[in-house]
Amino acid sequence: MTKISVRVDQENVTDDVEPRMLLVQYLREKLGKTGTVIGCDTSNCGACTVHLNGRSVKSCNVLAVQADGGVVDTIERLADDDGTLHPVQVAFRECHGLQCGFCTPGMIMQSVDLLNENPDPTEEEVRLGLEGNLCRCTGYHNIVKSVLYAAELNKRGANA
Amino acid sequence: MIPARFDYVAPTSVEEALQALAEHGDEAKILAGGQSLLPVLRMRLNAPEWVIDLGKIDALRGIRDDGDAIVIGALTTHHDVMHDALVEEHALLIKKAATEVADAQVRHRGTFGGALAHADPAGDLGAPALALGAEFVIAGSGGTRTVGADDFFVDLFETAIGEDEILTEVRIPKHTGWGAHYAKFVRVAHQWPIVAVAATVKADGGTISEARVGLTNMGSTPLRARGVEEALAGATASEDGVREAAAKAADGTNPPSDLNGSAEYRRHLATVLTRRAVAAAAGG
Ligand SMILES: Cc1cc2nc3c(=O)[nH]c(=O)nc-3n(C[C@H](O)[C@H](O)[C@H](O)COP(=O)(O)OP(=O)(O)OC[C@H]3O[C@@H](n4cnc5c(N)ncnc54)[C@H](O)[C@@H]3O)c2cc1C
Ligand code: FES
Ligand code: FES
């Protein structure tokens, strides 16, 4: 067992974990944060995307021990405590950016990262930025629309 | 799936890491970003007894100016390489290729040194490093040695790095002002290239004076298309102007045949992509 200290969704946690434990397993099985899901066995689908030290990563392809000393943010802390949704969540709801919803936690976390880096992306930049996230339902159009609309909402928020 | 059980150390200096390697030798695997190693461990294609995580060795991260070269620390992520001003100014080809690696999430974790040490023949960074004449700085218990690009890539997934050694940094000779393009052919997004061509050229007034061309996935290691490079000197910087030189791209290569395409198809792709990459690099 290896001791790790991580700040997850704004709370400090310290745990003994098996070195082989994946970050996604740690989040789901140890911390009960099942908002982050597992969609594949090959690190291709992006459903498990969380932020590690402020940048998006596939949490199925990171060991929990590699997050030691770091900060992890998941879909579960994206909305405010009072339930107010994050602009990207609002946009996915408004633009029908999901059908079954399985890819959505990862899509949203990747979209948040994308907009942090590029607040005003073109459609092409959105498509490229989401290339590591697969969706079996929507055909992507409404997801792209959602991200562009979220950028719009962020701009409005900034000007309000 | 999850990896088989292993013991884990996370040294904070290269010396400590080398010590751990010396102790656990052939039962150990080095972990950098984990973007190639973890999939392998999860598929249980490999089950080392020890994993030595370099992630806490900050000295291995970052990019610096070193006179006639820039030096990229082995642990620098693809994302940081892509966005670095020194890389853009002096080794544009590396920036172009790093941008094409995998997807954003993988680029946030995967490292420059890890990708080169992994030496996947379809990896996107080997051909640009080879084309630019990179030098690989390798640390071992007996000290540090430098290996040239021509000797670094040995075979499929095999480099000059010994079992008890660590790649610490990569020196890229400056190619300031050279145009560059990485032409990567894939069927779907965020995939490994079926074939890719890394081209960087020095062009004056519409004429190419010097060129470097590297090939990805045209053999068991990245390859340098020297015949093309020689034929390009003096060529006009346009697709038509480079057509004849690009036709030599597949000379001396030994591409694989697999589900993505036959060797013959890859040879054809290499010539087409070379033409496009060189013309784009030359701004033609
Ligand atoms: C979904 C997905 C898609 C991908 N697509 C592409 C792609 O299109 N193109 C591409 O080029 N790559 C792609 N990759 C691989 C990616 O580029 C990896 O980041 C890279 O190959 C390995 O870097 P790493 O730091 O993650 O190394 P690790 O996975 O940590 O290590 C890889 C290997 O190198 C060894 N190693 C690592 N660092 C050192 C060192 N400093 N000294 C000695 N040995 C070392 C390790 O022991 C291991 O054997 C993809 C990966 C994934 C998961
Ligand atoms: S579950 Fe992590 S990429 Fe698919
Ligand atoms: S909404 Fe079903 S996978 Fe994307």
Side-chain angles (χ1 to χ4, degrees):
Chain A
M1 292 290 209
T2 300
K3 192 179 239 24
I4 59 167
S5 300
V6 197
R7 188 166 173 78
V8 183
D9 288 343
Q10 298 170 26
E11 277 175 40
N12 294 325
V13 286
T14 298
D15 259 311
D16 283 316
V17 297
E18 257 196 291
R20 63 169 168 165
M21 180 175 252
L22 305 172
L23 179 58
V24 71
Q25 267 182 296
Y26 178 66
L27 293 171
R28 290 176 58 85
E29 293 168 22
K30 276 276 219 176
L31 302 184
K33 290 184 174 288
T34 49
T36 303
V37 296
I38 302 173
C40 74
D41 236 346
T42 52
S43 301
N44 275 286
C45 77
C48 64
T49 300
V50 301
H51 295 183
L52 175 56
N53 301 325
R55 298 315 310 239
S56 61
V57 302
K58 293 177 169 175
S59 61
C60 72
N61 215 20
V62 178
L63 297 171
V65 287
Q66 288 179 289
D68 178 38
V71 177
V72 177
D73 295 296
T74 79
I75 187 80
E76 295 203 5
R77 273 296 299 206
L78 211 53
D80 283 345
D81 281 338
D82 67 2
T84 308
L85 295 183
H86 185 280
V88 176
Q89 291 173 309
V90 171
F92 269 69
R93 191 173 63 182
E94 287 290 311
C95 302
H96 304 282
L98 58 142
Q99 287 179 24
C100 81
F102 199 82
C103 68
T104 313
M107 282 288 179
I108 288 184
M109 293 310 283
Q110 180 51 26
S111 301
V112 172
D113 182 275
L114 190 164
L115 292 173
N116 282 344
E117 181 162 289
N118 182 1
D120 196 14
T122 62
E123 183 190 324
E124 168 88 9
E125 285 166 345
V126 172
R127 288 186 187 275
L128 274 176
L130 296 179
E131 71 183 321
N133 293 73
L134 305 181
C135 175
R136 302 304 304 229
C137 304
T138 63
Y140 302 100
H141 269 10
N142 285 351
I143 292 175
V144 175
K145 270 191 215 157
S146 304
V147 180
L148 293 171
Y149 183 55
E152 190 62 41
L153 287 177
N154 282 337
K155 259 189 280 177
R156 274 190 227 161
N159 294 335
Chain B
M1 267 177 30
I2 61 167
R5 248 182 220 105
F6 54 77
D7 286 319
Y8 172 86
V9 272
T12 53
S13 70
V14 174
E15 292 67 36
E16 274 175 48
L18 287 171
Q19 234 161 36
L21 264 182
E23 239 167 85
H24 306 298
D26 47 8
E27 283 135 35
K29 257 317 209 177
I30 288 173
L31 176 68
Q35 299 304 292
S36 290
L37 185 60
L38 292 179
V40 166
L41 299 189
R42 285 164 57 203
M43 295 289 180
R44 309 239 175 154
L45 299 174
N46 197 333
E49 281 175 34
W50 282 87
V51 167
I52 302 170
D53 182 1
L54 303 184
K56 293 196 166 156
I57 311 182
D58 289 333
L60 293 180
R61 243 180 283 273
I63 300 167
R64 64 173 200 276
D65 192 321
D66 191 29
D68 56 0
I70 60 169
V71 181
I72 304 180
L75 276 197
T76 314
T77 62
H78 303 314
H79 179 267
D80 287 350
V81 167
M82 266 166 71
H83 293 285
D84 185 81
L86 285 172
V87 173
E88 174 156 19
E89 187 178 355
H90 302 296
L92 185 60
L93 183 57
I94 298 286
K95 178 191 168 102
K96 294 272 169 118
T99 309
E100 295 290 328
V101 171
D103 52 55
Q105 293 98 314
V106 171
R107 292 192 298 264
H108 288 147
R109 293 293 299 168
T111 68
F112 191 67
L116 293 166
H118 191 55
D120 187 320
D124 287 304
L125 296 170
L130 181 65
L132 290 172
E135 291 178 329
F136 297 80
V137 182
I138 299 171
S141 51
T144 292
R145 63 194 179 103
T146 301
V147 175
D150 290 332
D151 300 318
F152 181 75
F153 299 101
V154 176
D155 204 344
L156 287 171
F157 301 104
E158 193 184 335
T159 68
I161 306 171
E163 256 179 14
D164 50 356
E165 292 182 315
I166 293 172
L167 175 66
T168 57
E169 55 189 30
V170 182
R171 295 173 55 85
I172 316 269
K174 283 184 182 172
H175 287 67
T176 317
W178 288 47
H181 190 74
Y182 188 67
K184 172 169 171 172
F185 193 81
V186 287
R187 283 222 182 100
V188 297
H190 93 138
Q191 229 192 12
W192 303 81
I194 297 171
V195 173
V197 176
T200 189
V201 304
K202 198 171 164 188
D204 304 304
T207 305
I208 294 169
S209 55
E210 268 186 90
R212 300 273 182 283
V213 179
L215 308 173
T216 307
N217 218 9
M218 286 296 289
S220 56
T221 65
L223 297 173
R224 183 112 171 241
R226 290 188 195 270
V228 178
E229 292 177 2
E230 279 159 29
L232 278 172
T236 310
S238 68
E239 276 212 33
D240 273 341
V242 306
R243 190 176 296 271
E244 211 175 306
K248 299 177 194 295
D251 291 2
T253 63
N254 186 17
S257 282
D258 57 27
L259 284 176
N260 281 317
S262 64
E264 202 42 47
Y265 174 65
R266 282 194 164 86
R267 283 197 191 92
H268 172 69
L269 267 182
T271 61
V272 174
L273 295 176
T274 298
R275 189 166 76 222
R276 289 185 194 159
V278 172

